[in-house]
Amino acid sequence: MNKFQNVNFRSFEDFFDYLPENEAVIVEQLRDLIIASIPEVKEKLSFNVPFFSKHRTICFVWPGSVPWGGIREGVQLGFTQGHLLSDEDGYLNAGNRKYVRIRTFNDLSDIDHSLVRSLLFEATLIDEEYRKAAKVRRPKRS
């Protein structure tokens, strides 16, 4: 437990047991979409919510019932490098954030699967570009 949250999940099972059913179904749908869309994605609990990464963090799913997230209801899908996504339709919200972009879902029907899949694909490409750039900058060891 940390000073910002009064919960501390030891596993994904604990996390899901804590969520109200309306949030749990949205979280499960988003997790399934992320896992299906990003090959070899790694998932871990950070700040008591699921974060997804390959080379660095790509996105997260933050339910409103988990304290300290800044939302009170619904479930947020956040892209950690969202400022780099094209998002021409303005589907994602920047709020007062510099890098992260989010979308809040209050119901399963709010999720535009093809658009979210497209954003996940683009975010994965950005992650791959980061890895390639990092390899170029890294000096070779003798």
Side-chain angles (χ1 to χ4, degrees), residues 8 13 31 45 59 62 71 79 85 93 125-126 128 133-134:
N8 188 22
E13 186 177 311
R31 279 183 77 221
L45 285 174
C59 62
W62 201 302
I71 64 169
F79 291 89
L85 297 171
N93 180 357
L125 290 177
I126 291 167
E128 288 296 328

Side-chain angles (χ1 to χ4, degrees), residues 7-110:
V7 295
N8 188 22
F9 307 121
R10 296 180 188 270
S11 68
F12 282 100
E13 186 177 311
D14 288 350
F15 169 71
F16 276 106
D17 287 345
Y18 177 83
L19 298 178
E21 188 171 338
N22 62 320
E23 288 182 4
V25 294
I26 297 170
V27 169
E28 284 185 61
Q29 185 73 56
L30 291 171
R31 279 183 77 221
D32 290 347
L33 195 53
I34 293 164
I35 291 167
S37 300
I38 304 175
E40 301 168 8
V41 71
K42 298 174 206 116
E43 179 184 32
K44 72 174 189 171
L45 285 174
S46 288
F47 305 103
N48 284 315
V49 297
F51 274 71
F52 301 86
S53 63
K54 278 187 77 171
H55 306 292
R56 62 184 191 168
T57 305
I58 296 172
C59 62
F60 59 87
V61 176
W62 201 302
S65 62
V66 175
W68 192 62
I71 64 169
R72 302 283 183 247
E73 56 187 44
V75 176
Q76 286 185 348
L77 171 61
F79 291 89
T80 56
Q81 296 297 311
H83 69 294
L84 299 174
L85 297 171
S86 55
D87 191 28
E88 294 148 6
D89 299 331
Y91 187 71
L92 301 174
N93 180 357
N96 61 356
R97 299 171 196 89
K98 188 172 182 177
Y99 300 109
V100 174
R101 300 294 183 266
I102 57 109
R103 178 70 181 208
T104 303
F105 304 101
N106 293 305
D107 191 76
L108 277 178
S109 63
D110 295 342

Side-chain angles (χ1 to χ4, degrees), residues 128-140:
E128 288 296 328
E129 288 301 315
Y130 171 79
R131 182 187 62 83
K132 289 176 188 174
K135 273 179 116 175
V136 169
R137 287 190 303 259
R138 212 177 296 139
K140 292 185 178 181

Side-chain angles (χ1 to χ4, degrees), residues 111-124:
I111 302 171
D112 181 334
H113 286 73
S114 65
L115 186 52
V116 170
R117 217 177 276 113
S118 174
L119 290 166
L120 289 166
F121 179 73
E122 186 179 357
T124 303

